[in-house]
Amino acid sequence: MTPQFDAIGLVVTDMAAAVAFYRRLGFTFPDGAESEPHSEAELPGGLRLLLDTEQTVRSFHPAWQPPSGSGRHSLAMRCEDASEVDSVYEELVAAGHHGELKPWDSFWGQRYACMQDPDGNGVDLFAPLDGRP
């Protein structure tokens, strides 16, 4: 048997804030997800984004503690073009979310910006420049 990648799981402090943030990025959560202890959004290709509250995680792992310091992961969100990177970044910042790095043209050929979700998880926005992949 070979394990298959199926889902990305994030632990959240405030489910309503997390669901609202990811909905702004186009994730589809079921109605009422903001008040649940666990919620899932299906991703393209059949993967899922799983959100669990800290209380849910502690229900099966009582010693769990939130990590401290900066994270080592981020979700990367492909935008249609460079202008969408800029507009999504500005929309999220205007809604009160933390913009880590303002949009810039990267040396690897993408318009790129870095955000943080309500729990400090990295969310990168990108789009190819000049017809690059």
Side-chain angles (χ1 to χ4, degrees):
M1 181 174 148
T2 303
Q4 295 182 5
F5 186 48
D6 182 69
I8 298 163
L10 300 176
V11 179
V12 302
T13 303
D14 180 337
M15 183 65 79
V19 168
F21 177 85
Y22 286 104
R23 279 183 174 154
R24 283 184 178 270
L25 289 171
F27 289 77
T28 303
F29 286 91
D31 290 340
E34 51 282 324
S35 61
E36 295 295 326
H38 170 88
S39 191
E40 301 182 10
E42 190 168 326
L43 306 175
L47 295 175
R48 298 171 295 144
L49 176 64
L50 313 177
L51 302 179
D52 288 291
T53 63
E54 292 177 358
Q55 295 81 3
T56 299
V57 173
R58 285 193 185 106
S59 74
F60 60 84
H61 184 359
W64 181 85
Q65 293 295 315
S68 61
S70 297
R72 293 183 174 238
H73 70 276
S74 63
L75 302 178
M77 306 294 298
R78 184 182 182 118
C79 296
E80 188 171 326
D81 55 31
S83 66
E84 187 177 34
V85 172
D86 295 354
S87 65
V88 170
Y89 179 89
E90 291 303 325
E91 177 188 337
L92 290 170
V93 168
H97 299 290
H98 179 69
E100 185 72 16
L101 293 173
K102 291 180 181 182
W104 81 96
D105 293 342
S106 70
F107 66 86
W108 58 87
Q110 294 176 334
R111 184 73 171 163
Y112 218 89
C114 300
M115 305 288 310
Q116 288 185 352
D117 77 3
D119 290 287
N121 296 303
V123 177
D124 298 349
L125 306 170
F126 74 95
L129 293 171
D130 303 325
R132 297 177 188 186

